[in-house]
Amino acid sequence: MLFTSARFIILVLITLVLFYTPMLRRAQTVLLIASSLVFYLVNSYEAHQTSYVILLISSITINAFTSYQTFFAKSLPKARFWATVGVIANLIILASFKYAGLLGHSMPIAWTHEAGPAHFLLMITLPVGISFFTFEGISLLVDSFKARSAEDFFGTPLDAPRSHHVLSTTLFISFFPHLVAGPILKAHDFFPQIKPKFLKDVDWQFCFRKLVIGYFLKMVIADSLKDQTFWIQYPYFMWFGGKELVVLLFGYSMQIFADFAGYSLIAIGIAGLFGYRFPENFDFPYISKSFSEFWRRWHISLSSWLREYLYFPLGGNRRGKFRTYFNLIVVMFLGGLWHGAAWSYAIWGTTHGVALAIERLFKDRIKLPDNAIVGAFKMLGVFFVVTLAWLLFKLPNFHDVISYVQAVFTNWDGPVNRPRVYNVLIFSLPVVIYHFAYLSLHHSPLKETNAWPVLQRWTAPIAYGAMMFLIAVNSGVTGDFIYFQF
Amino acid sequence: MRTIVLSIILCGVFLVGWHELVQHRLYGTRTMDVASQFDQNLMKSQSFLYTGFQPDVVIVGSSIAARLTNHPKDWYNLAFAGGSSFTGLEIVQRSNKHPKIVLVETNVLTVARDERLLDSLFFPIVSKARGRFPSLREQYKPTHVLVTELPGGESKPAAHGLSGDRFTEQVERRLGELRVPLQADSTSGIARRLADAVKKLQAKGCRVVFFEVPEYEQSEHLARPEAIRAKLHELFPDNEYAWVPHVDWSNFHTTDAVHLDPDSAKHYTHIVADFVEHLHSKPATTAPVTAD
């Protein structure tokens, strides 16, 4: 049930009507949970893995129980014990279902016969959204441990019945807008928001903005680019000219942004309709002048999760330079593996980790002038490396990545399919404009003048009207969201 | 709220404006060559569904049959690159067209019907709206129209075959695929689905004719094509179903070990057209089919 499908829109509409029916106000949380389970059930059914609903419910049960025990433990060792049990349970679930295939592929071929261990591991399919809900479970446990001495349990009075915590945990983990592809929520941000909601409090303008931009990025940009970048797969790319291969890779970089940022914006907009605020997940990442800035702007909910729950516990940058570099590389290596159970994702993460470490190493030693030209070069450099690394997402076989790069050079003078190149550039243009408009207007003195609100007042409806028009007449046919596979 | 209302009004204005432009200026613009493979498939299907043209003969198949373009004027080629005959069969069955003959390519039957394309094509309300308003069709996407206006944008890229090592590599790859026989249940599954689709078309009054386009000559007798060929001939026997006679593959040339080059495609299309011409004079004698 994709966000772009009619079934999803019907589910949202029915849930919205019931949610704001005054008679059902006391049942709002239960209603959202019921809709979320329907959403997950349909998604699991479409992926031929209906039984994994039980896995989701088990994960919720484990997290509700262990986080409650952690928070209300009478002593610190007991709290630590329950938090550890919960975190290990989440990691076991993630490892068993997400990395079984990787382990199976890494075993000797002789073990792949029907009764062999590799065959058994390869039969385990990836449950929808597992990477997201296990990380949220860990967040709940760590936050519960940290909040032990607080006067309330994330805004809930300490004498509230246990069932209240069970319901809150269920909603936190299963709330459908973020369930299968994020943004990754943190317990201390979400739990305090669980309270009765009123229609009059909905920020319609906010939701409208998020939904229109989100659907535009997904349906018009990402879904159209997907049919062009389809050719970045072996052996097709071997037949393309080098210049076209460069354009296709550039298009894939735009596509992956539009796909995931679009999904996140739709999730934020839909959560907003129910009175919940999700964290922003993207902040114009392609204007980053450094890799550390890129990771503050790209998939923010994941990078902040990794920082808060992995990098800091490992010691962050407080244990000397070499330990900092080591921590950065380890965190990004694991972050890469979080994206997918294939070594190419690990290489992708490690590439970013090494880039972050090198950047930190040279940051204090080389002082570059702080002007627009140097800034533009830095931006281009980061974009170049980030885009090149996306090849590891598109071509999970590392050998194919090498072949692609080789093909760029060996086929450099090969034929160029102009319509395809035009299409990629036209669909990439809005993403480029989106970033550069922000870049040029963000620090513009125009924002301080009286003309700014007037300009916004008139340009905003034109921009949103144009995006809605293009959604109606220029959408591509929906494909899965790229981040669904994670 | 003002922004929301104004945006909706402006969207409506843009839609009406675009509709007028398509109706009065752009109608008939050919944008097929600038679209992606998937969009081309959609255009082909929408053009089949929404124009008044009632073809006598419809070709369904994969990219292999999609190259048979030099056919008589009262035919329609509904073969899809990246797809198989199953998608075309489903479209003919769900359309309001009643071709006398449906030519079914049997080279690629391992690919299931394209649900994404079918969903997009038959989505309730939208499907009707596209019939009524051409501006909502794939052909008139603003970006497609724009690309045709750009320098070199309208030109169809030259179809170039593979040469040297690449051709050898592709041959090896293709032969490697075809050497692996399909499992018995896969072959039966394909036959069952094809039998279902054929039955529905027969109920609609269409006559089904099977054909196998020549590919690279060394692949002709490999395990996979032989197994599928045998199963299909068993299910649709020559004495009950029309089969375009098998040709000698060594007389044809491919660009990449799979697809015929333009001259060979033209030659084979003539063979099929002659056979259909001959069939027109003979009544159908097909019996209902049931797959094992």
Side-chain angles (χ1 to χ4, degrees), chain A residues 179-244:
Chain A
L179 179 55
V180 294
I184 300 169
L185 305 183
K186 288 180 191 142
H188 61 257
D189 290 332
F190 188 81
F191 273 65
Q193 296 188 49
I194 305 176
K195 54 189 174 195
K197 307 287 183 187
F198 299 90
L199 194 60
K200 65 179 172 52
D201 295 333
V202 174
D203 185 345
W204 294 105
Q205 185 105 335
F206 170 85
C207 297
F208 176 77
R209 254 186 359 241
K210 300 287 176 190
L211 289 172
V212 172
I213 299 177
Y215 276 112
F216 174 76
L217 285 175
K218 171 61 184 165
M219 296 174 72
V220 179
I221 307 298
D223 284 343
S224 303
L225 282 172
K226 157 196 99 235
D227 292 330
Q228 310 292 340
T229 60
F230 162 84
W231 300 105
I232 305 181
Q233 57 176 304
Y234 184 81
Y236 302 126
F237 64 73
M238 302 295 287
W239 310 335
F240 285 61
K243 297 182 196 82
E244 194 171 339

Side-chain angles (χ1 to χ4, degrees), chain B residues 57-61 75 101-105 209 211 244 272 276:
Chain B
V57 178
V58 174
I59 303 172
V60 296
W75 290 25
I101 290 175
V102 177
L103 285 162
V104 180
E105 175 229 283
V209 176
F211 69 103
V244 175
V272 179
V276 169

Side-chain angles (χ1 to χ4, degrees), chain A residues 230-368:
Chain A
F230 162 84
W231 300 105
I232 305 181
Q233 57 176 304
Y234 184 81
Y236 302 126
F237 64 73
M238 302 295 287
W239 310 335
F240 285 61
K243 297 182 196 82
E244 194 171 339
L245 290 177
V246 171
V247 173
L248 285 177
L249 183 56
F250 171 78
Y252 185 67
S253 193
M254 299 295 122
Q255 179 198 338
I256 199 165
F257 166 77
D259 193 271
F260 194 24
Y263 179 91
S264 299
L265 287 167
I266 299 169
I268 293 168
I270 287 169
L273 293 175
F274 294 98
Y276 287 88
R277 280 289 166 112
F278 283 179
E280 292 292 339
N281 221 11
F282 288 86
D283 185 20
F284 306 93
Y286 288 151
I287 61 163
S288 305
K289 292 176 188 153
S290 66
F291 291 96
S292 51
E293 185 185 354
F294 177 78
W295 282 103
R296 286 194 301 275
R297 292 176 177 276
W298 178 276
H299 202 174
I300 300 166
S301 64
L302 173 70
S303 45
S304 69
W305 192 101
L306 290 172
R307 196 166 47 242
E308 206 169 312
Y309 300 111
L310 194 57
Y311 181 65
F312 290 160
L314 281 172
N317 58 2
R318 286 171 286 125
R319 294 192 185 172
K321 284 182 180 173
F322 285 102
R323 181 58 190 260
T324 305
Y325 305 146
F326 174 78
N327 288 347
L328 283 169
I329 294 171
V330 166
V331 167
M332 293 310 294
F333 167 80
L334 293 173
L337 268 186
W338 174 89
H339 281 82
W343 293 118
S344 61
Y345 292 110
I347 297 170
W348 172 80
T350 310
T351 307
H352 274 275
V354 169
L356 285 167
I358 292 173
E359 187 176 277
R360 191 173 272 263
L361 177 69
F362 287 106
K363 198 173 75 176
D364 300 326
R365 299 180 188 197
I366 300 172
K367 288 277 174 215
L368 292 170

